């Protein structure tokens, strides 16, 4: 039998929404209600800059007529420096094909893509020729196929900015990996106004609990970061992460680098440990642990590496391989981490995304994030 063609790797799907305390994303007036303040818009701009593609539904385009750009010039410059297009790919979804060529969406930023149905494609005809690529998903909008297609195009990180129907479809289909819920301190109270989500049969509802992976404040807006898909947290993972946190406390102090601990475990036992600056001033925790094992140690293939911080995807020292690449080269298939790389020293760390793209299982333990970063509080972690 011929092996089946490799399944495309679907992108990491991040739903982003701002809502009022009573769950509305707008009021019912024609003018767009401002829920976020400047600090929160700036936060969203960074999330956009960190994404390969941004998706909004056609209803949102018709209703709000957004441009969907990365506004920060320095963020666009950082994308270009990282070898990416200046702007993320802009994606929209329409079943009906009811999209006017005059919408601002088409006339700003980089490449645009429209997912639609056969009927929608027929209705659109060549109305958007020269403005966007049109892709038919068949007789109906199949979001799984949409994600497969984006994966084939190399999109590793997709940000979804609404509206209601699009967010509902991703969550009802269990297709969302991450949710950023920004709660603005105001009430709308108008039953005609649109809500964040429609009623739907959500997987496991109402008993399945999402994992709360982080809480942040942007101006007067509370930003909650949830991981909607269930991830079983094994007691063993907690135990080895606590061991990695102990190691992080051993790091020689630094004003310019994080203190990180790492443990490599195979067959239920610790086979190597490392921490930042353990063997020289530049060595990273994961690197130090891996250096203690032979490159062809057969245990690596069934090992898990525990690290208090997301493995780096870029390094200041050009002669040294980023830890993400070291882990991939070692053939380790599972990574457990406690906190994601903040933008303090490296902007746009994509360690987790890159590991997942290469089929590595990545488990986050946000419940240990505070403890894991406690020895780094003297650094600017903004
Ligand atoms: Zn590293």
């Amino acid at each position: 039998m011929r092996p089946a063609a490799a399944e495309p790797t679907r992108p990491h799907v991040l739903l982003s929404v701002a809502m009022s305390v009573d769950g509305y994303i707008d009021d019912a007036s024609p003018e767009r209600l401002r829920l976020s303040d400047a600090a929160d818009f700036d936060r969203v701009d960074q999330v956009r800059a960190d994404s390969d593609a941004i998706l909004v539904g056609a209803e949102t385009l018709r209703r709000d007529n957004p441009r969907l750009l990365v506004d920060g010039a320095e963020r666009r410059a950082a994308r270009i420096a990282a070898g990416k297009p200046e702007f993320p790919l802009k994606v929209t979804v329409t079943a009906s094909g009811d999209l006017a060529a005059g919408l601002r969406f088409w006339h700003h930023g980089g490449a645009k893509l429209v997912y639609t149905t056969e009927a929608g494609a027929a209705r659109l005809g060549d109305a958007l020729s020269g403005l966007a690529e049109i892709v038919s998903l068949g007789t109906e909008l199949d979001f799984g196929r949409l994600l497969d297609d984006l994966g084939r195009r190399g999109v590793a990180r997709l940000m979804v900015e609404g509206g209601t129907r699009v967010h509902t479809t991703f969550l009802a289909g269990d297709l969302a990996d991450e949710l950023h819920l920004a709660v603005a301190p105001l009430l709308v109270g108008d039953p005609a106004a649109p809500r964040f989500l429609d009623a739907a049969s959500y997987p496991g509802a109402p008993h399945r609990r999402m994992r709360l992976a982080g809480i942040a404040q942007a101006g007067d807006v509370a930003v909650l970061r949830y991981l909607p898909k269930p991830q079983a947290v094994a007691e063993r993972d907690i135990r080895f992460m606590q061991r990695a946190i102990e190691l992080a406390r051993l790091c020689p102090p630094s004003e310019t680098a994080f203190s990180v601990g790492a443990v490599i475990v195979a067959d239920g036992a610790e086979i190597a440990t490392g921490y930042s600056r353990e063997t020289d001033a530049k060595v990273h925790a994961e690197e130090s642990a891996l250096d203690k094992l032979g490159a062809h140690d057969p245990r690596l293939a069934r090992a898990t590496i525990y690290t208090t911080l997301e493995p780096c995807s870029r390094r200041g020292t050009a002669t040294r391989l980023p830890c993400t690449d070291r882990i991939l080269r070692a053939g380790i298939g599972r990574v457990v981490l406690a906190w994601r790389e903040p933008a303090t020293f490296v902007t746009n760390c994509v360690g987790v995304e890159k590991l997942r793209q290469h089929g590595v299982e990545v488990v986050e333990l946000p419940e240990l994030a505070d403890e894991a970063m406690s020895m780094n509080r003297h650094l600017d972690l903004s």
Side-chain angles (χ1 to χ4, degrees):
M1 211 172 94
R2 230 155 36 113
E7 287 283 305
T9 306
R10 290 181 176 177
H12 177 88
V13 176
L14 185 162
L15 309 187
S16 174
V17 67
M19 68 173 201
S20 64
V21 167
D22 53 347
Y24 292 98
I25 56 171
D26 199 352
D27 58 17
S29 74
E31 192 125 316
R32 178 112 173 88
L33 175 69
R34 276 178 74 96
L35 287 153
S36 296
D37 58 8
D40 194 52
F41 279 124
D42 188 59
R43 175 192 65 82
V44 170
D45 200 53
Q46 182 64 53
V47 180
R48 285 183 182 173
D50 291 342
S51 303
D52 299 310
I54 306 172
L55 183 150
V56 287
E59 212 174 300
T60 302
L61 292 189
R62 291 188 294 259
R63 186 186 167 93
D64 299 338
N65 198 13
R67 295 178 310 152
L68 282 182
L69 298 176
V70 173
D71 283 326
E74 69 294 343
R75 292 184 176 125
R76 298 199 301 269
R79 288 181 56 89
I80 293 168
K84 299 176 185 179
E86 181 178 8
F87 292 99
L89 172 69
K90 297 205 293 188
V91 184
T92 188
V93 189
T94 172
S96 66
D98 176 15
L99 283 170
L103 291 169
R104 295 200 286 183
F105 183 81
W106 317 115
H107 303 283
H108 300 270
K112 291 100 187 167
L113 190 56
V114 180
Y115 288 105
T116 186
T117 58
E118 284 163 14
R123 172 167 178 183
L124 277 168
D126 56 7
L128 298 177
S129 70
L131 297 174
E133 181 183 346
I134 315 285
V135 178
S136 168
L137 294 170
T139 50
E140 39 192 300
L141 291 177
D142 179 333
F143 277 37
R145 288 188 61 191
L146 180 155
L147 291 177
D148 287 341
D149 187 71
L150 286 175
R152 275 190 291 267
R153 290 167 188 266
V155 171
R157 205 171 161 80
L158 173 69
M159 179 186 190
V160 179
E161 295 204 48
T164 305
R165 211 180 316 164
V166 167
H167 277 149
T168 300
T169 305
F170 273 103
L171 282 168
D174 217 5
L175 297 170
D177 300 290
E178 190 173 341
L179 166 60
H180 291 184
L181 185 67
V183 182
L186 50 87
L187 297 167
V188 172
D190 184 342
R195 284 187 174 274
F196 166 34
L197 294 170
D198 284 328
S201 66
Y202 295 106
H207 302 294
R208 189 167 112 183
R209 299 177 79 87
M210 297 184 190
R211 295 187 69 214
L212 178 61
I215 304 173
Q217 186 171 347
D220 63 2
V221 171
V223 184
L224 311 175
R225 184 172 154 249
Y226 289 105
L227 307 178
K229 290 182 186 174
Q231 278 183 313
V233 183
E235 209 172 306
R236 195 162 81 176
D237 285 342
I238 299 280
R239 192 157 41 86
F240 283 118
M241 183 58 74
Q242 280 165 340
R243 169 79 174 120
I245 291 169
E246 275 172 40
L247 290 159
R249 296 191 206 285
L250 302 177
C251 301
S254 168
E255 292 301 319
T256 54
F258 291 118
S259 292
V260 180
V263 183
I264 303 174
V265 173
D267 309 318
E270 194 175 296
I271 58 172
T273 64
Y275 52 86
S276 311
R277 302 175 292 287
E278 180 183 20
T279 50
D280 67 74
K282 297 275 179 201
V283 76
H284 287 189
E286 307 94 305
E287 182 180 32
S288 184
L290 283 165
D291 281 345
K292 291 168 189 161
L293 299 171
H296 303 293
D297 192 315
R299 294 173 299 179
L300 286 168
R302 51 182 192 274
T304 294
I305 185 162
Y306 294 82
T307 174
T308 55
L309 173 66
E310 175 177 13
C312 61
S313 57
R314 202 146 34 111
R315 287 187 76 150
T317 320
T319 49
R320 291 192 163 184
L321 211 54
C323 294
T324 297
D325 300 82
R326 293 282 314 251
I327 290 166
L328 291 172
R329 189 174 285 190
I332 293 179
R334 188 164 183 270
V335 175
V336 181
L337 59 99
W339 56 296
R340 291 266 194 135
E341 175 94 78
T344 309
F345 304 123
V346 183
T347 54
N348 193 19
C349 180
V350 293
V352 167
E353 281 70 34
K354 188 165 177 186
L355 290 166
R356 284 191 172 134
Q357 261 187 310
H358 286 81
V360 174
E361 180 193 357
V362 180
V363 176
E364 294 185 62
L365 298 178
E367 51 270 74
L368 291 180
D370 273 350
E371 203 183 335
M373 59 85 74
S374 59
M375 61 294 290
N376 295 292
R377 289 203 200 283
H378 62 292
L379 301 169
D380 173 17
L381 297 174
S382 60

